[in-house]
Amino acid sequence: MKPGPWPGGGARRWSGPYRRGQPEYSCICERSCYYLNVRKGQKTRSAILEQALAIASQLGLSGLTIGTLAERSGLSKSGLFAHFRSKEGLQLAVIQGVRESYSDLVFQPAMRQAPGLPRLRAIVENWLAWTGSAKLPGGCIMIAAAFEFDDCPGPVRELISQSLRELRKTLARAIRMAVDAAQLHPDTDPEQLAFEICAIYCGAQLDARLFGSPDARRRAMLAFENLIGRAGSGNAAAHSDAGLPPAYAAAATAPAARPIG
């Protein structure tokens, strides 16, 4: 193949498809336009999903429709339908967006901590702070969706269930590492401890969103530290305020109604 003209002068060889009589660089231009359109479409979809996550955090997945998203985003229903095809497709995309946000804001930062209790504690702290880190105006979409769809068989329920099972397995794995590092008692049941940590998180969501308690996150972390203290080995922190991280140890002696900073 002979080298053809190249935009901007000079000549280079193009190894892509070539049609007789067509300038070879036009193939490159066509492909460049294609990738630009793909990137633009992906950017638009991401912006739409940010709006959808905000709506779902306040109205729940059941309250999230193509119509409500069109009103909030200023896009047409037909344009949104082209992205998601149905209300269920939109709900699945939102749950997938939550999964990705959990990975970015909860788990990946925690992986920078040492295996064992430091990593487990980081996961719990990041998880409790997740709605704020994700800049959501409402509560945890995943926990709310679990209650919304627990009796609604279908793909949305399955993805919610899979996501929360994976989260609990991640907690149990971090707990096993703490046991292996002699930071927790060797008889510790990782699955039971993971269950109790999830219960603490659900309780924190209840206090924060339904009761409007400013103490929800502090109480949740104190409950977690007490739980770890009960499961601790001789090398772990004792079940006392002295064994808590400094910020929570100080909070433990404060009046119950005092808000955390």
Side-chain angles (χ1 to χ4, degrees):
M1 182 185 299
K2 295 181 180 180
W6 191 264
R12 299 184 187 178
R13 183 175 296 277
W14 166 243
S15 59
Y18 173 74
R19 294 189 292 274
R20 185 178 297 280
Q22 177 190 33
E24 293 184 29
Y25 70 80
S26 69
C27 299
I28 301 169
C29 293
E30 289 173 6
R31 179 166 291 189
S32 297
C33 289
Y34 168 77
Y35 285 123
L36 284 173
N37 288 335
V38 168
R39 286 196 292 270
K40 183 179 179 182
Q42 291 172 340
K43 188 175 180 179
T44 300
R45 183 182 172 89
S46 296
I48 293 169
L49 275 176
E50 284 183 11
Q51 292 280 352
L53 285 164
I55 294 170
S57 75
Q58 292 179 305
L59 303 181
L61 281 184
S62 298
L64 175 64
T65 66
I66 295 223
T68 57
L69 183 56
E71 292 176 7
R72 187 76 65 92
S73 65
L75 298 175
S76 67
K77 290 183 181 180
S78 59
L80 293 173
F81 186 82
H83 281 282
F84 304 106
R85 311 305 299 175
S86 67
K87 178 179 179 179
E88 183 179 88
L90 175 59
Q91 291 171 334
L92 289 170
V94 166
I95 292 301
Q96 186 58 42
V98 173
R99 288 167 58 92
E100 292 171 4
S101 183
Y102 270 11
S103 175
D104 293 342
L105 300 177
V106 177
F107 298 116
Q108 289 187 25
M111 291 303 108
R112 294 194 286 267
Q113 301 299 320
L117 284 182
R119 183 172 297 176
L120 177 62
R121 183 175 287 110
I123 291 173
V124 174
E125 288 180 331
N126 295 345
W127 192 19
L128 287 167
W130 174 73
T131 53
S133 302
K135 299 180 181 178
L136 295 178
C140 180
I141 297 168
M142 195 73 80
I143 297 302
F147 290 102
E148 283 184 79
F149 286 84
D150 56 356
D151 291 319
C152 302
V156 177
R157 182 186 187 278
E158 290 305 312
L159 185 57
I160 295 167
S161 176
Q162 175 189 338
S163 302
L164 290 175
R165 287 177 186 275
E166 289 173 359
L167 189 151
R168 191 173 294 186
K169 287 179 181 178
T170 300
L171 288 171
R173 185 162 54 247
I175 293 165
R176 288 191 189 93
M177 289 181 179
V179 172
D180 293 342
Q183 296 168 339
L184 294 176
H185 195 276
D187 291 337
T188 298
D189 181 345
E191 284 71 25
Q192 177 63 29
L193 206 56
F195 172 90
E196 294 182 41
I197 290 171
C198 288
I200 289 171
Y201 181 81
C202 290
Q205 286 293 305
L206 175 69
D207 266 33
R209 303 307 307 170
L210 186 62
F211 300 157
S213 171
D215 280 352
R217 187 174 167 190
R218 174 179 69 87
R219 290 185 183 279
M221 280 307 301
L222 289 174
F224 167 75
E225 296 295 346
N226 287 337
L227 184 66
I228 294 303
R230 290 194 296 271
S233 70
N235 296 327
H239 175 207
S240 67
D241 294 341
L244 298 176
Y248 297 109
T253 61
R258 179 182 175 183
I260 49 175

